[in-house]
Amino acid sequence: MATETATLGGGCFWCLEAVYQELKGVQHVESGYAGGQVTNPRYEQVCEGTTGHAEVVQLTFDPAVVSYREILEVFFTIHDPTTLNRQGNDVGTQYRSVIYYHDARQRETAEQVIAEMANVWDAPIVTELKPLPDYYKAEAYHQNYFRQNPMQGYCAYIVAPKVAKFRKTYADKLNH
């Protein structure tokens, strides 16, 4: 079985990770950092906003079950692609909306989806579209964060509502 990889940033990686872990066809979700100029950045450095990295998730998925297009459609549903360098109260370049494509086909699909989403949102889409730069896996305590910390304040008030919206909107695509 051939798998593909997608790398996306849309605010805090805990939110994206929690949603994509429930999407049918996604086999693995890893939180990490991409797009900056520091080698092997630490979370504290990325949070300062000085490394240039975005918080991202890297997904391994089965394209026979879920297409890259569907992954992007979910992406544009679970974050606001019209706010530059912010998602809700999370502000800074590390929270930017970005699609890092892995090949020309992903770039073309992303361009099409972004164009389609421009008709859905009331404000201009600010999502960056760039080739995948160096990627760094986030620290172990960031992996499976929502599943391990559902009652933590940020998870309860920010992540949980996004997961609930995803479950309602994409009930037919849940991996349960």
Side-chain angles (χ1 to χ4, degrees):
M1 171 184 60
T3 60
E4 290 185 30
T5 304
T7 306
L8 308 167
C12 177
F13 46 31
W14 299 340
C15 294
L16 295 178
E17 177 190 67
V19 166
Y20 283 114
Q21 285 177 327
E22 297 195 2
L23 182 61
K24 191 183 303 180
V26 173
Q27 299 171 341
H28 181 72
V29 184
E30 181 177 278
S31 291
Y33 314 111
Q37 58 273 5
V38 173
T39 304
N40 296 313
R42 295 182 328 277
Y43 180 67
E44 295 75 19
Q45 292 174 299
V46 174
C47 284
E48 291 171 1
T50 58
T51 67
H53 290 90
E55 289 190 12
V56 298
V57 290
Q58 195 160 77
L59 318 172
T60 303
F61 64 98
D62 180 351
V65 178
V66 63
S67 70
Y68 184 66
R69 169 178 279 281
E70 290 171 305
I71 284 171
L72 294 181
E73 288 169 353
V74 168
F75 175 70
F76 282 107
T77 306
I78 59 174
H79 87 293
D80 183 347
T82 68
T83 55
L84 185 63
N85 299 327
R86 84 174 297 148
Q87 287 297 305
N89 291 330
D90 292 330
V91 179
T93 58
Q94 67 271 32
Y95 302 116
R96 66 188 174 271
S97 177
V98 59
I99 299 168
Y100 290 115
Y101 57 86
H102 292 245
D103 57 35
R105 187 186 51 75
Q106 283 191 355
R107 187 194 80 242
E108 291 169 20
T109 301
E111 288 171 345
Q112 293 167 3
V113 173
I114 290 169
E116 292 165 11
M117 290 298 141
N119 297 319
V120 173
W121 290 87
D122 292 333
I125 302 286
V126 296
T127 303
E128 296 177 4
L129 179 60
K130 295 184 171 186
L132 180 68
D134 288 340
Y135 166 82
Y136 303 97
K137 181 178 179 179
E139 295 82 350
Y141 70 92
H142 289 297
Q143 310 305 323
N144 296 304
Y145 195 85
F146 178 66
R147 286 183 177 173
Q148 294 177 5
N149 304 281
M151 302 314 294
Q152 187 259 9
Y154 187 91
C155 289
Y157 293 104
I158 305 297
V159 183
K162 287 188 179 202
V163 172
K165 178 183 176 184
F166 166 75
R167 288 175 179 162
K168 182 179 178 185
T169 305
Y170 293 99
D172 61 326
K173 295 185 186 298
L174 295 178
N175 64 9
H176 303 258

